[in-house]
Amino acid sequence: MTLSSSALSLAPSQLSLAISNPGALGTIDAYINAVNRLPMLSADQEADLGRRLRDHNDLDAARDLVLSHLRLVVSIARQYLGYGLAHADLIQEGNIGLMKAVRRFDPDRGVRLVSFAVHWIRAEIHEYVVRNWRLVKIATTKAQRKLFFNLRRMRPDGRSLGPEQVADIARELDVRPEDVAEMEVRLSGGDCALDAPADEEDRYAPSDWLADEAQQPDRVLARRGMDALQGEGLEHALSSLDARSQHIVRARWLADDGGATLHELADEYGISAERVRQIESAALKKLRIALSDRQADFEAA
């Protein structure tokens, strides 16, 4: 059945509201029933719409081409239900591929849109399946994608493959046997949560077996060295200073009340604030050298 000129103008309006508001159709079954009722285009009508889109960027023509092929997307998406993904999501991705095909469609090549669009619809659905089948993307290269969509079908009853079967599949798909063996391992595995669910207190998860980085030997030694420098090491370094330098450093940097100002210490010793700053700077330089030597001795020990 093909669209008449009057039906061609009416068909898009029948679904335009539903496409912009999926809730208007209710369920996925209602959507499928609706798109299956849309008449198909004849070759002449399809070519005319394709030229209007190509030559005049007629979006109404693009809409008519898309709507008349929505049933094709439904049919192709149904073939991928075995991957555990929602039919509605597969259809949605396929519709994106259909719109890309319509944008690139050239009616003067003598190829019907249905033949041209199949590639784009499958490509979008393939990308969606690979991206969402597992939490970790299972196929990235072209060979891995080919294996992903063929190995499940070619494995006998889902059982492990023997060396001869691996070689046969590799030869048939024109990939390396190593790629077949690797993809079989990936397909046989599964996602595993790093942490146990909150409602399963007695269950162990991989995170329970991870090493505590804070208890790594190098970090333990680093903490001990820092503790030594901040406690006994600092006191030992301060003891190498003269009494005035010690007092200035303690008053400026180690006091609990926020530290004395340069002017307060200048008044205490009867010298200028600049002279206090010079004494402080020289004392801090000596402290850094003493602490550096202390740390080197600790690491050597």
Side-chain angles (χ1 to χ4, degrees), residues 22-34 88 91:
L25 287 178
T27 66
I28 183 63
D29 292 333
Y31 171 85
I32 294 173
N33 290 333
I91 292 174

Side-chain angles (χ1 to χ4, degrees), residues 206-252:
S207 60
D208 297 318
W209 306 103
L210 295 177
D212 185 356
E213 293 186 0
Q215 299 304 320
Q216 296 294 326
D218 58 336
R219 298 201 175 190
V220 173
L221 289 175
R223 284 201 307 275
R224 290 179 181 176
M226 185 60 66
D227 293 341
L229 291 177
Q230 292 177 345
E232 179 184 350
L234 181 59
E235 288 298 328
H236 182 271
L238 284 170
S239 66
S240 65
L241 302 177
D242 60 84
R244 184 171 64 173
S245 297
Q246 282 192 46
H247 177 68
I248 290 176
V249 171
R250 290 182 185 275
R252 288 278 291 158

Side-chain angles (χ1 to χ4, degrees), residues 1 31-32 34-40 66-78 95 98:
M1 178 178 181
Y31 171 85
I32 294 173
V35 299
N36 284 336
R37 286 197 301 269
L38 283 175
M40 299 292 290
V66 169
L67 292 178
S68 64
H69 287 79
L70 289 178
R71 67 175 67 196
L72 172 65
V73 176
V74 172
S75 177
I76 295 176
R78 189 177 293 115
N95 286 343
L98 172 60

Side-chain angles (χ1 to χ4, degrees), residues 82-102:
Y83 292 95
L85 300 173
H87 195 190
D89 293 337
L90 294 171
I91 292 174
Q92 176 176 271
E93 297 300 318
N95 286 343
I96 295 175
L98 172 60
M99 288 185 282
K100 290 181 178 180
V102 167

Side-chain angles (χ1 to χ4, degrees), residues 123-174:
E124 289 297 321
I125 293 178
H126 282 187
E127 177 63 26
Y128 177 75
V129 171
V130 170
R131 191 172 62 246
N132 293 276
W133 190 60
R134 293 259 179 88
L135 291 176
V136 178
K137 197 170 184 178
I138 196 172
T140 54
T141 67
K142 182 178 180 180
Q144 289 174 345
R145 288 171 179 269
K146 181 187 294 186
L147 283 168
F148 177 80
F149 289 102
N150 288 279
L151 195 56
R152 283 162 51 96
R153 170 181 56 82
M154 301 175 72
R155 285 195 302 177
D157 301 327
R159 293 176 294 180
S160 299
L161 299 175
E164 294 183 359
Q165 293 171 316
V166 169
D168 291 340
I169 292 175
R171 185 166 47 254
E172 180 177 346
L173 298 179
D174 192 23

